């Protein structure tokens, strides 16, 4: 009887041990089947990340990064001036204005980091600069951009533009005066066929809030037979109707830099390519829709 009991206990312990062993083996098998995909996935992720980091970073040649084949501003002027011989002399002047817009664009982007923001200070007196014709205190950007535009119209026009009027200055100036030449021996108004008007940077205070600013310009043909007045200029040349303009446009400095120009036969927009530093024609023949909810 005692032997039978011992045998039964042995069988119970054996069955319990075998059951525990089977449970453990099943648990290990289940964990191994679950862990293997996880380990594989982690390994694949690591390999994928490594391949991405080792891949060449120059993607300019990939199809997704290919640039549009757009006409440059210079080529546009060549064609338009060939079509209209009356404005052929303005080719170099307008190219100089486009280059001035590029310079102003870089200055606007660096205004805060290069400490170009704030009211202009007269270097001789140490006081605030004079107010402009609008009664506003001139900003550093106003003075700097005004100089750039003066040189664009007078320094690169090959004597095509004889005088300029800026929103930052109380009276028009002859290009001879801008460039520092002696004007006492010749008639200023006969030294060129055109006069230019411009606002070098409109809304310069907006830069403090990262808002858009712009440059506005226009070109008139000087009236035939215009002669210099007491101040060496003929103000009637600047007081013509807007419809008398030969060329007009603006540069907008925002998320992209856009130059919009009309030569009297359509309005065209050009966007500055930040890689090539060239204006490309992205908005040909801009027109206001006949029907719209915002007009």
């Amino acid at each position: 009887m005692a032997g039978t009991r011992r045998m039964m206990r042995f069988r119970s312990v054996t069955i319990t041990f075998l059951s525990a062993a089977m449970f453990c083996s099943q648990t290990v098998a289940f964990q191994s089947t679950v862990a293997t995909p996880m380990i594989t996935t982690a390994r694949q992720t690591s390999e994928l990340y490594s391949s991405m980091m080792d891949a060449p970073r120059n993607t300019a040649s990939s199809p997704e990064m290919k640039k549009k084949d757009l006409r440059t501003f210079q080529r546009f002027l060549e064609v338009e001036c060939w079509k209209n011989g009356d404005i052929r002399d303005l080719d170099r002047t307008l190219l100089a204005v486009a280059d001035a817009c590029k310079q102003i664009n870089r200055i606007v982007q660096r205004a805060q980091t290069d400490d170009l923001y704030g009211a202009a200070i007269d270097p001789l007196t140490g006081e605030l600069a004079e107010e402009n014709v609008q009664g506003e205190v001139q900003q550093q950007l106003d003075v700097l951009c005004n100089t750039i535009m003066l040189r664009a119209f007078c320094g690169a026009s090959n004597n095509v533009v004889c005088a300029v009027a800026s929103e930052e200055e109380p009276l028009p100036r002859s290009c001879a005066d801008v460039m520092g030449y002696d004007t006492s021996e010749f008639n200023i108004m006969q030294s060129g066929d055109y006069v230019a008007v411009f606002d070098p940077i409109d809304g310069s205070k907006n830069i403090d809030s990262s808002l858009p600013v712009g440059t506005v310009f226009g070109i008139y043909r000087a009236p035939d037979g215009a002669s210099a007045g007491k101040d060496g200029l003929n103000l009637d040349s600047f007081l013509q109707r807007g419809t008398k303009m030969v060329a007009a446009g603006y540069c907008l400095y925002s998320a992209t830099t856009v130059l919009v120009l009309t030569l009297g036969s359509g309005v065209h927009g050009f966007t500055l390519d930040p890689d090539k530093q060239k204006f490309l024609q992205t908005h040909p023949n801009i027109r206001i829709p006949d029907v719209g909810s915002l007009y």
Side-chain angles (χ1 to χ4, degrees), residues 235-286:
L235 296 182
D236 292 338
S237 300
F238 298 94
L239 302 178
Q240 302 181 60
R241 294 178 179 271
T243 54
K244 295 290 186 179
M245 281 189 175
V246 178
Y250 65 85
C251 289
L252 180 66
Y253 315 107
S254 185
T256 56
T257 301
V258 179
L259 169 61
V260 178
L261 176 70
T262 179
L263 299 175
S265 58
V267 181
H268 305 272
F270 304 83
T271 302
L272 181 63
D273 186 331
D275 297 328
K276 299 180 179 180
Q277 283 299 303
K278 292 183 179 180
F279 280 107
L280 304 177
Q281 188 175 13
T282 53
H283 300 80
N285 196 25
I286 300 173

Side-chain angles (χ1 to χ4, degrees), residues 145-204:
C145 295
N146 185 57
T147 302
I148 293 173
M149 292 298 294
L150 287 173
R151 292 177 178 175
F153 279 113
C154 294
S157 64
N158 197 23
N159 295 329
V160 173
V161 177
C162 62
V164 290
S166 171
E167 193 259 353
E168 298 301 329
E169 299 185 359
L171 293 172
R173 296 173 63 187
S174 67
C175 280
D177 178 41
V178 171
M179 303 306 296
Y181 299 147
D182 183 11
T183 62
S184 60
E185 298 182 357
F186 62 91
N187 182 1
I188 295 172
M189 299 307 298
Q190 294 179 356
S191 63
D193 296 329
Y194 300 93
V195 297
V197 293
F198 62 88
D199 183 352
I201 183 163
D202 187 29
S204 56

